[in-house]
């Protein structure tokens, strides 16, 4: 069992916050690299194996949303926790839709940040191997094709349909477990999303959105079926292409 500490990358233009988090998270047993902007973030990513990024939203130049989008283009599995002085719900939703795994508003208690980091890392480590992006380049199901690199699905008639971050992750979970009934709680955990908890949106709403993207009839769905009292199941054969 490896004893190498997990490596956290903190991206924040506030020097005091960088010093605080560097010291606090190092004392908690993590290896920490703290940088001030996107250029330094890229250098850190190129030279190190990073396990989680703590990313400030309000950065000069390239803001946190832009950098979060870039991180997601590099990897679908690298966890991102966003920090911001903004408390507006719209900013939180946009950040999560861009692919952030969690959101913490400033000022924050370092203990709460540490607790959230531990939770995110635990979820990331618990993800089934077949959800890792390196495992497949695309999935084909019921005439549809999901391209992992672009996060778009292509309909049987050739129409390309873009997915939000939440819709993409939910679809990846279904494609990794076809013909298997997945309880709502498990869907939330595997999709690695806190959105339903933070904004009082149930997994049912997200499933409904995904059904619409896939042209699945909400009243009588043929693709993502509801199992009353249990959860949902993807009723389709899935072909994986590497």
């Amino acid at each position: 069992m490896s004893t190498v500490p997990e490596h956290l990358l903190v991206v924040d233009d506030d020097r005091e916050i960088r010093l605080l988090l560097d010291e606090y998270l190092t004392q908690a047993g993590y290896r920490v690299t703290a940088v001030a902007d996107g250029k330094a973030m890229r250098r850190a990513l190129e030279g190190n194996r990073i396990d989680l990024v703590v990313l400030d939203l309000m950065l000069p130049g390239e803001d946190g949303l832009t950098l979060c989008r870039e991180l997601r283009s590099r990897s679908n599995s690298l966890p991102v926790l966003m920090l911001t002085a903004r408390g507006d719900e719209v900013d939180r939703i946009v950040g999560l839709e861009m692919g952030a795994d969690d959101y913490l508003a400033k000022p924050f208690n370092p203990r709460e940040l540490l607790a959230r980091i531990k939770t995110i890392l635990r979820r990331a480590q618990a993800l089934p191997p077949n959800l890792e992006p390196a495992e497949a380049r695309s999935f084909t199901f019921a005439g549809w094709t999901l391209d992992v690199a672009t996060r778009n699905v292509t309909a049987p008639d050739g129409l390309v349909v873009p997915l939000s971050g939440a819709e993409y992750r939910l679809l990846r979970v279904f494609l990794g477990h076809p013909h298997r009934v997945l309880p709502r709680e498990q869907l939330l955990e595997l999709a690695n999303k806190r959105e339903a908890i933070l904004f009082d949106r149930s997994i049912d709403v997200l499933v409904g959105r995904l059904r619409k993207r896939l042209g699945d009839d909400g009243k009588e769905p043929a693709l993502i079926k509801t199992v009353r009292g249990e959860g949902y199941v993807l009723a389709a054969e899935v072909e994986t292409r590497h």
Side-chain angles (χ1 to χ4, degrees):
M1 188 172 182
S2 175
T3 58
V4 177
E6 289 155 313
H7 193 172
L8 310 181
L9 175 59
V10 176
V11 186
D12 197 307
D13 64 316
D14 189 316
R15 183 173 181 274
E16 291 186 3
I17 289 181
R18 291 201 307 273
L19 293 174
L20 168 67
L21 294 184
D22 192 342
E23 180 180 0
Y24 186 82
L25 295 173
T26 298
Q27 290 179 352
Y30 295 103
R31 180 185 173 195
V32 180
T33 297
V35 299
D37 55 31
K39 289 184 179 180
M41 179 193 80
R42 295 184 189 97
R43 288 195 297 270
L45 289 169
E46 290 172 2
N48 301 277
R49 180 187 184 279
I50 302 298
D51 297 293
L52 181 144
V53 178
V54 179
L55 178 62
D56 185 28
L57 177 63
M58 299 297 291
L59 292 171
E62 297 174 297
D63 63 21
L65 292 178
T66 300
L67 295 179
C68 185
R69 187 186 300 113
E70 179 180 329
L71 288 170
R72 279 291 159 261
S73 70
R74 289 169 173 254
S75 170
N76 291 318
S77 59
L78 176 62
V80 178
L81 191 159
M82 297 201 80
L83 299 177
T84 181
R86 292 181 179 178
D88 188 76
E89 181 175 298
V90 173
D91 291 322
R92 297 198 293 270
I93 294 175
V94 172
L96 292 169
E97 288 293 334
M98 288 293 182
D101 297 280
D102 203 350
Y103 184 108
L104 188 59
K106 297 177 180 178
F108 56 85
N109 186 319
R111 292 179 63 184
E112 181 180 1
L113 175 66
L114 178 60
R116 291 185 183 228
I117 287 173
K118 289 180 177 179
T119 298
I120 294 172
L121 289 173
R122 185 167 60 248
R123 285 175 177 165
Q125 293 163 358
L127 285 175
N130 58 8
L131 290 182
E132 292 298 324
E135 291 294 313
R137 295 173 59 188
S138 67
F139 297 87
T140 302
F141 59 101
W144 291 79
T145 299
L146 172 67
D147 186 286
V148 172
T150 64
R151 295 189 174 195
N152 293 331
V153 287
T154 302
D157 63 2
L159 179 66
V160 177
V161 180
L163 300 177
S164 72
E167 293 162 355
Y168 169 79
R169 280 185 289 275
L170 181 61
L171 180 56
R172 284 295 300 271
V173 172
F174 280 124
L175 294 176
H177 304 81
H179 302 294
R180 174 178 169 184
V181 178
L182 299 172
R184 290 168 173 80
E185 296 79 8
Q186 187 177 15
L187 284 171
L188 281 170
E189 185 70 17
L190 289 175
N192 201 18
K193 290 296 292 177
R194 294 173 56 89
E195 181 178 359
I197 300 172
L198 287 173
F199 308 113
D200 195 27
R201 293 179 178 176
S202 70
I203 193 67
D204 305 305
V205 174
L206 187 54
V207 168
R209 283 165 44 188
L210 183 57
R211 280 172 171 163
K212 287 183 179 179
R213 298 286 194 191
L214 300 176
D216 205 15
D217 188 343
K219 294 183 179 179
E220 295 184 11
L223 190 54
I224 302 176
K225 295 186 176 183
T226 303
V227 180
R228 188 175 298 276
E230 295 188 48
Y232 296 97
V233 59
L234 177 70
E237 298 297 327
V238 177
E239 178 183 348
T240 303
R241 296 179 182 176
H242 298 275

